[in-house]
Amino acid sequence: MPLLPEHLLAGHDTFMAGRYAQEQSRYRSLAHEGQAPETLMIACCDSRAAPETIFDAAPGELFVIRNVANLVPPYQPDSDFHGTSAAIEFAVVGLGVRNIVILGHGRCGGIKAALAKDDEPLSEADFIGRWMSLVDEPAHGVKTMEHMTAGERQTALERISIRYSVANLRTFPYVAEREGRGELSIYGAWFDISTGELWAMDGETGDFRRPAVDRPPSAGG
Amino acid sequence: MPLLPEHLLAGHDTFMAGRYAQEQSRYRSLAHEGQAPETLMIACCDSRAAPETIFDAAPGELFVIRNVANLVPPYQPDSDFHGTSAAIEFAVVGLGVRNIVILGHGRCGGIKAALAKDDEPLSEADFIGRWMSLVDEPAHGVKTMEHMTAGERQTALERISIRYSVANLRTFPYVAEREGRGELSIYGAWFDISTGELWAMDGETGDFRRPAVDRPPSAGG
Amino acid sequence: MPLLPEHLLAGHDTFMAGRYAQEQSRYRSLAHEGQAPETLMIACCDSRAAPETIFDAAPGELFVIRNVANLVPPYQPDSDFHGTSAAIEFAVVGLGVRNIVILGHGRCGGIKAALAKDDEPLSEADFIGRWMSLVDEPAHGVKTMEHMTAGERQTALERISIRYSVANLRTFPYVAEREGRGELSIYGAWFDISTGELWAMDGETGDFRRPAVDRPPSAGG
Amino acid sequence: MPLLPEHLLAGHDTFMAGRYAQEQSRYRSLAHEGQAPETLMIACCDSRAAPETIFDAAPGELFVIRNVANLVPPYQPDSDFHGTSAAIEFAVVGLGVRNIVILGHGRCGGIKAALAKDDEPLSEADFIGRWMSLVDEPAHGVKTMEHMTAGERQTALERISIRYSVANLRTFPYVAEREGRGELSIYGAWFDISTGELWAMDGETGDFRRPAVDRPPSAGG
């Protein structure tokens, strides 16, 4: 068996000749001094929604958690779901990030699974079913919306889920404290895989808007 | 408050004008037909070790889990740590990936935390402490290696941890079955943040080698 | 009292010197030969959503019904709501239009009224309340979606209402017959007042897409 | 089937590049602040008589009802014909318009149908026949005017119908009240499709005059 699949080795060669060569001094500094990312991004595992690509991020810029459906569980010191909580703790308390962005996207397989009725679990252990139960309550409401199309229900739950996760973030004491002191800002965003467009969550209303296109009149232009 | 931090909006503009413009038909296909990534990559949240960058990956290529220290917990249907297990289940059973790569890296903060003696927990809940307890056993052993430098102990545990996670992957019944049938291949890799070099794990011995530089004589070239 | 408000007289002067002067022969032909519009458009009274403006239409192109919330009642020969039915009959049977487009829009006051709870009727007769009762059933469902923002419920009902009206169109025997014979095509569209963008309804799924931006891969480009 | 007929998509592209681009800040304000049109216009569906074109109206200026033959039914809380009544209620009580203009036009198909003798109904339900019965009384009288040409009878009924609708407007209590308090003004107008000329109704005599050409001596200029 090869040490790694050929396409990955080829991709790494391209990286070495291209990006690494251009940013070599940056990589060396980052290795020497340690990472100091300003932003924690919580994104989905989906192969079409990588944060570094979507935001053209440089090394050292984004500390990234990726799980199915970019979920943040509520703060529960003695419950399940520790991996994401551990990474949030590390980013906020250990690294002192200034921003947290929850990045959802269209056509999310996890959200689709949450909306599917009477599906067979993927496995006996049904890890996915239990993970997605984090959004059982809103999923249940959305499923009843028979007047909406399947596509509309999908997008609705993707965005509700982001708002849910933003609220769950605030149940972490150190998140709420730093936000209250103005040291930490929380954002929601939703990426349209087909059009590449980015929608951002209005902190007050929870509505998603496209910064590139849709500004209140006061923003001019 | 702005909808998103300015540098992220600027990064997305760059993406739209650059990569998205070039790969538009690919994004549309992926949206329309769904994702069919061949590889599941389990990587660290570290801002310096993004898989898409390291492997110059295109959209649709890699399904990516990112947690602290790229750990895979053992298969335990009734235990904690469901997030990573759920994503593995989704990738293997739901998407039918052909490869799983566990990608570790140098200067890993999680591994450093596991090796630190008598450190204060980052928070009362100590999520990080409990998460890194997944590698308590090997960490304990490495900590006693007083003849190794701190840097050597760091690299040692990073690589032991990868082998540990590879073994844990095989405790998932559907992983072991597919690997046994030749439908799934498991790899380990370790990225040197400073030099950009990629080390890959020899499946038989567990040693890490650089494919670019270090090949057995029979591989020629 | 002046014969007409000054700004309207001024507007008509501009029309005479501009558009009428350019299209004079067209106006004369249309007067002499009669109108033969190919498209019936059912739009809202809203001052921000005029079809001729949105579609840059020339005289003679669009036969336009405008009522509150661009509603089409179900075919009921002995019931209320005859005005819109009369105009549909005139357009389809009398003029032989080839297309019917139901054009909704964002921030629709009628839809907002349908979603408002416990509002005082505008007048004792409550004509608006009775008119909007045409969408009571879907409005009721949407009102219960507490996990959606007010803005999301608004957009949801605007689009559900368009689908509702498309279905009601098909209850008119002469509409269903002509559509069945391939002589008449029915479309839905939704105009975003803020961005000027046009979303069109997919005839199969009922989802709204932007033709300018979001094409299935087969459309190329 | 395409999402929308090609000529409509092309027309919208022209709108985006032209009018929308020029008036973008106005559209954004109107979306953000809501509509506040000063004028309700009741016009015909006819493809040659669009109010926005005839009066060169900007977005946000005219709240427009369009039905066959620009009719206003008498106020009847328990009768048919709710659509036009609902829109009048919305405009006067909900939006507080200051002007109502009933805009008729030459060669009106609805008026022509009302004058036709012994015509087959367009359909079994005969919605048009019942709608136009709103002007049965004057139509009956005009039909007997055998010394007038068909064209003269047509123009006569078009203008009588406008006066009829103006009177019906005043049967709406909230219209009569606001007019009595000087908060609302009612106008009649008639558009000549062939010449583009606008005729306006003298509030006292009911005669139609062209403001551009025909002013009483005291108006000077």
Side-chain angles (χ1 to χ4, degrees):
Chain A
M1 197 171 92
L3 282 178
L4 274 175
E6 192 50 50
H7 71 278
L8 291 181
L9 292 175
H12 178 256
D13 287 340
T14 303
F15 162 72
M16 288 303 286
R19 285 198 75 170
Y20 178 79
Q22 292 159 18
E23 302 180 275
Q24 188 178 51
S25 56
R26 187 178 175 127
Y27 273 100
R28 285 178 174 164
S29 294
L30 286 167
H32 190 71
E33 294 156 24
Q35 60 169 338
E38 286 223 342
T39 300
L40 159 63
M41 192 157 295
I42 300 167
C44 185
C45 303
D46 197 293
S47 61
R48 304 162 292 181
E52 290 82 6
T53 305
I54 293 168
F55 293 105
D56 192 49
E61 203 182 312
L62 305 177
F63 185 83
V64 178
I65 296 167
R66 288 178 75 178
N67 62 38
V68 171
N70 41 278
L71 302 180
V72 174
Y75 176 80
Q76 277 177 309
D78 298 310
S79 77
D80 301 336
F81 315 123
H82 281 177
T84 296
S85 305
I88 290 170
E89 180 178 289
F90 191 86
V92 175
V93 185
L95 294 176
V97 295
R98 306 279 310 178
N99 307 305
I100 304 180
V101 179
I102 295 182
L103 177 68
H105 67 94
R107 281 121 163 140
C108 180
I111 295 293
K112 188 173 174 185
L115 286 170
K117 287 180 159 64
D118 307 321
D119 256 17
E120 286 295 319
L122 281 180
S123 73
E124 209 179 295
D126 194 26
F127 287 121
I128 260 290
R130 276 184 281 162
W131 178 250
M132 293 313 300
S133 73
L134 278 169
V135 289
D136 257 0
E137 202 209 320
H140 181 74
V142 172
K143 280 194 231 186
T144 67
M145 287 300 303
E146 55 197 14
H147 292 290
M148 292 172 75
T149 65
E152 287 171 348
R153 287 191 291 270
Q154 173 84 17
T155 300
L157 189 56
E158 283 161 3
R159 293 175 177 184
I160 291 167
S161 172
I162 293 169
R163 289 193 289 266
Y164 232 64
S165 288
V166 166
N168 283 345
L169 264 180
R170 292 187 169 116
T171 63
F172 285 68
Y174 34 84
V175 169
E177 284 160 20
R178 282 164 174 71
E179 192 185 24
R181 291 198 298 261
E183 298 167 2
L184 183 62
S185 303
I186 301 177
Y187 303 90
W190 181 90
F191 174 66
D192 183 334
I193 287 171
S194 183
T195 66
E197 288 167 311
L198 186 68
W199 298 65
M201 188 186 85
D202 181 307
E204 287 181 39
T205 64
D207 287 311
F208 281 78
R209 285 208 306 282
R210 281 161 294 162
V213 169
D214 197 352
R215 295 191 183 90
S218 55
Chain B
M1 199 170 91
L3 283 177
L4 274 174
E6 193 50 49
H7 71 279
L8 291 181
L9 291 175
H12 178 257
D13 285 343
T14 301
F15 161 72
M16 287 301 286
R19 285 199 74 168
Y20 179 79
Q22 292 158 19
E23 300 179 276
Q24 190 178 52
S25 57
R26 185 178 177 129
Y27 273 100
R28 283 179 173 164
S29 292
L30 286 168
H32 191 71
E33 295 155 22
Q35 59 169 337
E38 286 223 342
T39 301
L40 159 64
M41 190 155 297
I42 301 167
C44 184
C45 301
D46 197 294
S47 63
R48 304 162 291 182
E52 289 84 7
T53 306
I54 293 168
F55 293 104
D56 191 49
E61 203 182 314
L62 304 176
F63 186 85
V64 177
I65 297 166
R66 287 178 76 178
N67 63 38
V68 172
N70 40 278
L71 302 180
V72 176
Y75 175 79
Q76 276 178 304
D78 298 309
S79 76
D80 300 336
F81 316 120
H82 284 175
T84 295
S85 307
I88 291 169
E89 179 179 290
F90 192 86
V92 175
V93 184
L95 295 176
V97 294
R98 308 278 310 178
N99 308 303
I100 303 181
V101 178
I102 295 182
L103 176 69
H105 68 95
R107 280 126 164 132
C108 180
I111 295 296
K112 188 173 173 185
L115 288 169
K117 289 178 158 60
D118 307 321
D119 255 15
E120 286 293 320
L122 281 181
S123 75
E124 208 179 296
D126 194 25
F127 287 122
I128 261 288
R130 278 183 278 163
W131 178 250
M132 293 313 300
S133 73
L134 277 169
V135 291
D136 257 359
E137 204 207 315
H140 183 72
V142 171
K143 278 193 233 186
T144 66
M145 294 297 304
E146 53 200 17
H147 294 290
M148 291 172 78
T149 67
E152 287 170 345
R153 286 193 291 273
Q154 173 83 17
T155 300
L157 188 55
E158 282 161 3
R159 293 174 177 186
I160 291 166
S161 172
I162 293 169
R163 288 193 289 272
Y164 229 65
S165 288
V166 166
N168 283 343
L169 265 180
R170 293 187 169 116
T171 65
F172 284 69
Y174 34 83
V175 170
E177 284 162 19
R178 283 164 174 71
E179 193 183 26
R181 290 197 298 261
E183 299 168 1
L184 184 63
S185 304
I186 301 176
Y187 303 89
W190 182 92
F191 173 69
D192 182 331
I193 287 172
S194 185
T195 65
E197 288 169 310
L198 186 70
W199 298 65
M201 188 185 85
D202 182 306
E204 287 180 39
T205 65
D207 289 309
F208 281 79
R209 283 209 308 283
R210 281 163 295 164
V213 168
D214 194 353
R215 293 192 180 86
S218 54
Chain C
M1 198 171 90
L3 283 177
L4 275 173
E6 191 51 49
H7 70 280
L8 291 180
L9 292 175
H12 179 256
D13 286 342
T14 302
F15 162 72
M16 289 302 286
R19 285 198 75 169
Y20 179 79
Q22 291 159 18
E23 301 179 277
Q24 189 178 52
S25 57
R26 186 176 176 129
Y27 273 99
R28 285 178 173 166
S29 294
L30 286 167
H32 190 71
E33 294 154 23
Q35 60 169 338
E38 285 224 342
T39 301
L40 159 63
M41 191 156 296
I42 301 168
C44 185
C45 302
D46 197 293
S47 62
R48 303 162 292 181
E52 290 83 5
T53 305
I54 293 167
F55 293 105
D56 191 49
E61 202 183 314
L62 304 177
F63 186 85
V64 178
I65 297 166
R66 287 177 76 176
N67 63 38
V68 172
N70 40 279
L71 301 180
V72 174
Y75 176 79
Q76 276 179 307
D78 299 308
S79 77
D80 301 334
F81 315 122
H82 283 176
T84 295
S85 306
I88 291 170
E89 181 179 288
F90 192 86
V92 175
V93 185
L95 295 177
V97 294
R98 306 279 311 177
N99 307 304
I100 304 180
V101 179
I102 296 182
L103 176 69
H105 68 95
R107 281 125 162 135
C108 180
I111 294 295
K112 190 173 171 183
L115 286 170
K117 288 180 158 64
D118 308 322
D119 255 16
E120 287 294 320
L122 282 181
S123 73
E124 210 179 295
D126 194 26
F127 287 122
I128 260 289
R130 277 185 279 163
W131 177 249
M132 293 312 300
S133 72
L134 278 169
V135 290
D136 256 0
E137 201 209 320
H140 181 73
V142 171
K143 278 194 233 188
T144 65
M145 288 300 302
E146 55 196 14
H147 291 290
M148 291 171 76
T149 65
E152 288 171 345
R153 288 191 291 270
Q154 173 84 18
T155 300
L157 189 56
E158 282 160 3
R159 293 173 176 186
I160 291 167
S161 172
I162 293 168
R163 289 193 290 266
Y164 231 65
S165 288
V166 165
N168 284 344
L169 265 180
R170 293 186 168 116
T171 64
F172 284 69
Y174 34 85
V175 169
E177 285 160 21
R178 282 163 174 73
E179 193 185 24
R181 291 197 298 260
E183 299 168 1
L184 183 63
S185 302
I186 301 177
Y187 303 91
W190 182 90
F191 174 68
D192 183 332
I193 288 173
S194 184
T195 66
E197 288 168 311
L198 185 69
W199 297 65
M201 188 184 85
D202 182 306
E204 287 182 40
T205 64
D207 287 310
F208 281 78
R209 283 208 307 280
R210 282 161 293 161
V213 169
D214 198 352
R215 295 189 183 91
S218 55
Chain D
M1 200 171 91
L3 283 178
L4 275 175
E6 194 50 52
H7 71 278
L8 290 181
L9 292 175
H12 178 257
D13 286 342
T14 302
F15 161 72
M16 286 303 285
R19 284 200 74 169
Y20 178 79
Q22 291 158 18
E23 300 180 275
Q24 188 179 51
S25 57
R26 187 178 175 128
Y27 273 99
R28 283 181 173 162
S29 291
L30 286 167
H32 192 70
E33 294 156 24
Q35 59 169 339
E38 288 223 340
T39 301
L40 159 62
M41 191 155 298
I42 300 166
C44 185
C45 301
D46 196 294
S47 62
R48 304 162 292 182
E52 289 83 6
T53 305
I54 293 168
F55 294 105
D56 191 51
E61 204 182 311
L62 305 176
F63 186 83
V64 177
I65 296 166
R66 288 177 74 177
N67 62 38
V68 171
N70 40 277
L71 302 180
V72 175
Y75 175 80
Q76 277 177 306
D78 298 311
S79 76
D80 299 336
F81 316 121
H82 282 175
T84 295
S85 306
I88 290 169
E89 178 178 292
F90 192 86
V92 174
V93 185
L95 294 176
V97 295
R98 307 279 310 177
N99 307 305
I100 303 180
V101 178
I102 296 181
L103 177 68
H105 68 94
R107 279 120 166 140
C108 180
I111 295 294
K112 188 174 172 185
L115 287 170
K117 287 177 157 65
D118 306 321
D119 256 16
E120 285 296 318
L122 281 181
S123 75
E124 207 179 298
D126 194 26
F127 287 122
I128 260 291
R130 277 185 278 164
W131 177 250
M132 293 313 300
S133 74
L134 277 169
V135 290
D136 256 0
E137 207 209 315
H140 182 73
V142 171
K143 281 194 231 184
T144 67
M145 294 299 303
E146 55 201 15
H147 293 291
M148 291 171 78
T149 67
E152 286 169 346
R153 286 194 290 272
Q154 174 82 18
T155 300
L157 188 56
E158 282 162 2
R159 294 176 177 185
I160 292 166
S161 171
I162 293 169
R163 288 193 290 270
Y164 228 65
S165 289
V166 167
N168 283 343
L169 264 181
R170 293 188 169 115
T171 64
F172 283 69
Y174 34 83
V175 169
E177 285 160 21
R178 284 165 174 70
E179 192 185 25
R181 290 197 299 261
E183 298 167 2
L184 184 62
S185 304
I186 301 176
Y187 303 90
W190 182 92
F191 174 68
D192 183 330
I193 286 171
S194 183
T195 65
E197 287 168 311
L198 185 69
W199 299 64
M201 188 185 84
D202 182 307
E204 289 182 307
T205 65
D207 288 310
F208 281 78
R209 285 208 304 285
R210 282 160 294 164
V213 167
D214 193 353
R215 293 195 181 85
S218 55

